Amino acid sequence: MAKKTKRLLGKKEIKNGIKKLAQKLNNDYCDTSPIFVCILKGAFMFLADLIRELDVPIRIDFLSVSSYGDSSRTSGVVKIIKDISIDIEGEDVLLVEDIVDTGLTLSYIFDFLKRKNPKSLKICALLEKKVRRTKKIKIDYRGFFVPNKYVIGYGLDFCEKYRNLPEIDTMEF
Ligand code: 5GP
């Protein structure tokens, strides 16, 4: 049976939020050529729209991780499935993530990339839930705060479905 969903962020809101993020990034990275590391799979749509608003000469790489846990809660045990291919030593790096919940996933990835000695390492997350945070982590660029509900669409899945939705909805269980 289809799950009940409720609209959280429409196309226009997402677009405007991304434009604001891009303005800040254009400003902060104006003198450099940062490497954007997109966390797969959830952040692919966000990355694609974000970079089209940028006028700095960015480079792009992808990191694929799996997180053990049930469908709505991560355990913090993260496995790197695909590492990045660009050498980030001495480079300005921006991690591009879909959503931060407990912070466990991003905290693991941050430490993993930090060991590769980038010049700078910052985080850009489209969505942030504040309630269940167990790891203190600085989100340098954030699109939206969202309530403590399971969200889908715009790259975010439920059992690998709904990633293609152009809006972001909450899903009732
Ligand atoms: P954390 O480790 O911060 O608890 O969770 C981060 C990861 O869990 C995200 O990258 C995402 O894959 C997944 N996640 C957390 N909350 C949600 C949500 O509301 N919807 C979806 N689709 N994934 C989520």
Side-chain angles (χ1 to χ4, degrees):
M1 203 174 76
K3 301 242 181 235
K4 226 174 130 188
T5 59
K6 202 170 161 201
R7 179 67 23 92
L8 185 64
L9 294 165
K11 286 185 206 172
K12 218 168 173 185
E13 270 174 288
I14 297 171
K15 200 173 171 124
N16 289 340
I18 287 176
K19 276 198 168 155
K20 280 188 200 155
L21 279 177
Q23 273 169 9
K24 286 186 204 152
L25 293 170
N26 274 330
N27 191 49
D28 294 358
Y29 288 102
C30 65
D31 291 328
T32 179
S33 170
I35 298 167
F36 281 27
V37 175
C38 173
I39 315 295
L40 294 173
K41 304 176 189 165
F44 77 95
M45 206 178 277
F46 173 40
L47 176 91
D49 283 345
L50 180 67
I51 60 175
R52 275 180 276 197
E53 299 291 338
L54 295 176
D55 46 38
V56 284
I58 57 149
R59 288 165 286 168
I60 295 163
D61 209 338
F62 296 92
L63 183 73
S64 183
V65 299
S66 75
S67 183
Y68 297 109
D70 62 36
S71 57
S72 62
R73 185 183 289 257
T74 49
S75 64
V77 183
V78 181
K79 191 177 162 201
I80 307 288
I81 297 174
K82 186 219 160 281
D83 197 354
I84 51 172
S85 55
I86 302 177
D87 181 7
I88 61 168
E89 185 167 354
E91 301 282 359
D92 292 307
V93 176
L94 184 75
L95 263 172
V96 180
E97 174 65 309
D98 53 358
I99 186 164
V100 189
D101 184 5
T102 63
L104 290 166
T105 307
L106 211 44
S107 169
Y108 180 92
I109 295 169
F110 191 89
D111 292 344
F112 174 77
L113 291 183
K114 196 83 193 163
R115 289 198 290 275
K116 295 179 188 276
N117 297 317
K119 182 176 162 202
S120 71
L121 181 57
K122 289 189 181 180
I123 294 173
C124 176
L126 177 64
L127 309 175
E128 180 176 358
K129 290 184 201 168
K130 274 172 128 180
V131 180
R132 298 201 301 182
R133 188 65 42 84
T134 57
K135 279 275 181 190
K136 203 167 179 272
I137 187 153
K138 186 176 177 232
I139 312 297
D140 301 280
Y141 306 93
R142 170 195 321 101
F144 305 90
F145 281 115
V146 291
N148 187 25
K149 293 190 168 166
Y150 196 81
V151 300
I152 53 157
Y154 200 71
L156 289 139
D157 75 313
F158 175 69
C159 297
E160 293 300 330
K161 290 184 193 149
Y162 311 109
R163 292 193 197 274
N164 59 312
L165 298 180
E167 302 95 0
I168 296 173
D169 294 347
T170 59
M171 181 172 259
E172 312 290 329
F173 289 94

